[in-house]
Amino acid sequence: MNIDFEAGIKNIGDTAKLKSVFERAQKGEVLTIAFLGGSITQGSLASEPSLCYAARVFAWWEETFPKARFTYINAGIGATDSQFGCARAAEDVLKYKPDVISVEYAVNDENNDHYRETYEGVVRKLLSARNHPAVYTFFNVCYDTGLSAEEKHLEIAKYYNIPAFSIKSTIYPLLTSGKIQNRDITPDDLHPNDTGHEMVASVITYGLEKIMGLEKTGTVKGGKELLEEGEKEGHILPPPITANAYEDSVRYRNQNADIVFCDGWTADGEVQEHITDIFKNGWTAGKKGAKIAFKVRGTCIGVQYRRTINLPAPVAVVRVDGLEKAVLDGNFDETWGDKLCLDTVLDHGKGGEHIVEIEITEAHEDDKLPFYLVSVIASGNPEPVFLKPAFAHTIWGGKRLREDYGYDEPGDDIGECWGISAHRSGECTVSGGSFDGMGLSKLYETHPELFGRVISGGENKKADSSASGDVFPLLIKIIDAKADLSIQVHPDDEYAAKNENGSLGKTECWYVLDCAEDSTLVIGHNAKNKAELEDMIRGGKWSEFIRQIPVKKGDFIQIDPGTVHAIKGGILLLETQQSSDITYRVYDYDRLQNGKPRQLHIDKSIDVITVPAKSVDESVKNFLDTPENTLTRMYSCKYYTVSKVKVKGEFSFENDAPFLNVSVLSGAGEIDGFKLKKGDHFILPAGYSKPVFKGGMELIVSRI
Ligand code: ZN
């Protein structure tokens, strides 16, 4: 048979990882080769396990590298898709730290966007394993119809630069051209027989040999260097091209489920001997009305159950948060065996907590087996991203950020705590969770989905990242002014773009956290027109020029570009601003820093100051006493909306922001089980649609 092997190579990809495994095999190292997929991988319809394609490809490794020692992991489970693959990859494959992983789901997944997303999830899950395995994929095909998920899967394989081989382009044409008969290689047009498995294996080993003969290509390094780099940088993958809810999936069985109600169901505690021993560790029920309910967290939820060929069997319904979502029919009118079904019952719904209830609605006297509920799988559960602040030491700073807010920062000149910042002058890093240690700018760049940013596809990625919206847009600071800050003004976007190398301008606002009794701020000025403004500034008539206004705790002040402003000594405030540091200093009280006056920007200041200034009444509003458990909006402009929340007991709200910045001003409590205290700053990522706060706290919340 003349198989056109070259036609089967759909993507050579980045060969460096496989090449480094070949080198290690050549040296005689100990290596693990894993195969993840469905029934074909499992070896279904091969006359014995050693004749399935996976065992044959494994044999190729052993024959090609006689000095090496190999371990074979076959993680194929019949009739399962890449959605289940996401949920079981860690347990069934990654725990063995495989050096090479073959992944195959093209006939169990359908060629649609749901499976494009779940397939991306499993590929990312495998690629982000700590030991950086080499991953390749191939696409089986239905031998009668030619259908497969190859198109959607190949898009993902190309984006992640992994080698990909096609059965549709190699073996299938032999059938359509009549060179061989379907029944020569497959009894059911889906599962290959021994000959079919041999042919599938030959397509894969041809691809591996081809890669072996090529130069190393691509930028992905292999082995140890990559491991070290990966550990340093946290994640090394490009941003996902789907909503990527499935990469992190949690599968609940009776060892780990949070059961809130159970009547008439029995937990199956029998030991699961092998991964294909699929009907274990779930729950059974045989009586109409039997009910079980779970608490899970996520935006996507699937329910796994058994459909049996032993008819009749009971039927159940699934409700999510009280609404019926699916009927689970335990009857399977086929001959080839009981089937493990996975039905999606919530597809990109709200994040946070859900109650999943399963009730038997139909049972029969002569049911052969009870209904078997295998697991509930929850995916896409965003977690708050907690940040480790950066600090600025300044001539006007004090000790209150340490003493009042508990920040572990030495010195008695701590002026600013940058609580939420991706700005290069003081960047926060993620503290805890999946992205522990990663800089916020890197997180924003590599995980746009967390910030509600859509990247439309691999090829468009570059265009997107060069767009001006590609920096984290806001910066949240707590400022402790022991002494007066200089009097300054910021340009708007247009002026900054023209005069500051394309930088953003700066709009900011302040919420006064605390201040001495007779505190004042400088907001605006007293010049009535441009000529008077120039005269006052150039003539140094500061007492005439500056407008000083009294402030008290809870005051909110919006500082538009062009507004002359200064924080005076004795004031502690939280600032929400555009992420920019373009500041024009108008006057610095003739102070010296390291023996020299700090630079002033008189001409630019005169250019940008708004004349006459906004009235005092328009500038300051007090929000000290806001209603409890309410999101009280303090200000909204095109850059941000800033709100205040007083949590007492429990408070939750519907959140549709692309992401939400939260700072804890006072008190303590928790959000969805994560402990919170005064001085904490965190981001609620996209999809976090219903945060639940508990305790007694004041929060400042901002969104774009
Ligand atoms: Zn400012």
Side-chain angles (χ1 to χ4, degrees), residues 488 490 506 508 510 559 565 575 583:
Q488 52 183 249
H490 306 296
K506 185 164 157 188
E508 66 187 49
W510 298 337
I559 314 280
H565 61 282
E575 181 176 85
T583 294

Side-chain angles (χ1 to χ4, degrees), residues 202-261:
S202 70
V203 171
I204 296 166
T205 55
Y206 180 89
L208 295 176
E209 281 172 9
K210 172 106 182 173
I211 289 167
M212 215 176 356
L214 293 173
E215 289 295 303
K216 268 194 198 188
T217 59
T219 50
V220 178
K221 295 169 214 152
K224 223 171 158 194
E225 33 181 350
L226 191 59
L227 177 64
E228 278 157 14
E229 203 169 283
E231 273 170 355
K232 228 184 295 155
E233 293 196 5
H235 278 224
I236 49 147
L237 295 179
I241 56 174
T242 68
N244 193 37
Y246 293 92
E247 182 182 348
D248 288 308
S249 294
V250 184
R251 187 177 184 220
Y252 295 100
R253 296 196 284 173
N254 64 42
Q255 305 93 329
N256 64 341
D258 186 355
I259 297 172
V260 291
F261 181 86

